[in-house]
Amino acid sequence: QVQLVESGGGLVQPGGSLRLSCTASGIISSPNAMGWYRQAPGKQRELAAAVNHFGGTNYADSVKGRFTISRDTARNTVDLQMNSLKPEDTAIYYCNYRRFTSSYWGQGTQVTVSA
């Protein structure tokens, strides 16, 4: 079992920045991948950004150039730096840990971008 605890969501104005953090605990094995997904009201959950155990990253086209994902494999943490936020970035952001066919989710943190 893997537990994920997220922090860092909140309300920000368009053009602002937020940083999300996630810490994994439990049975952590490598290699694995960690990432951030988001779900806006009435929409399906989608990948925002992910990073594998070797540092390879993957971003949704809609966040490229604005979001940066980083991880510390020794501390089992993954962060998402979000800059130039737009109203369409408003969603619940979920941390994810994935290893082979196993996938675990955090409880989610709300990000609201509004003037």
Side-chain angles (χ1 to χ4, degrees):
Q1 281 289 76
V2 174
Q3 295 78 43
L4 301 169
V5 178
E6 303 130 331
S7 63
L11 172 64
V12 64
Q13 292 186 341
S17 298
L18 280 175
R19 188 176 184 89
L20 305 182
S21 296
C22 174
T23 301
S25 62
I27 303 175
I28 307 297
S29 302
S30 60
N32 59 65
M34 295 185 72
W36 290 93
Y37 288 70
R38 64 186 185 180
Q39 187 166 17
K43 294 188 177 181
Q44 289 188 332
R45 190 174 298 187
E46 64 176 8
L47 172 71
V51 55
N52 64 29
H53 196 77
F54 307 101
T57 57
N58 184 29
Y59 293 94
D61 287 343
S62 59
V63 308
K64 283 180 181 177
R66 301 187 298 121
F67 290 12
T68 302
I69 191 167
S70 60
R71 70 177 295 179
D72 184 331
T73 54
R75 296 174 57 219
N76 296 320
T77 60
V78 61
D79 293 346
L80 186 67
Q81 178 66 42
M82 305 185 293
N83 298 328
S84 303
L85 282 161
K86 305 175 181 180
E88 50 264 43
D89 295 317
T90 295
I92 299 174
Y93 284 69
Y94 295 92
C95 181
N96 176 261
Y97 168 96
R98 188 183 305 271
R99 173 173 163 78
F100 299 129
T101 59
S102 297
S103 182
Y104 299 90
W105 297 93
Q107 79 283 358
T109 185
Q110 177 70 47
V111 171
T112 302
V113 185
S114 174

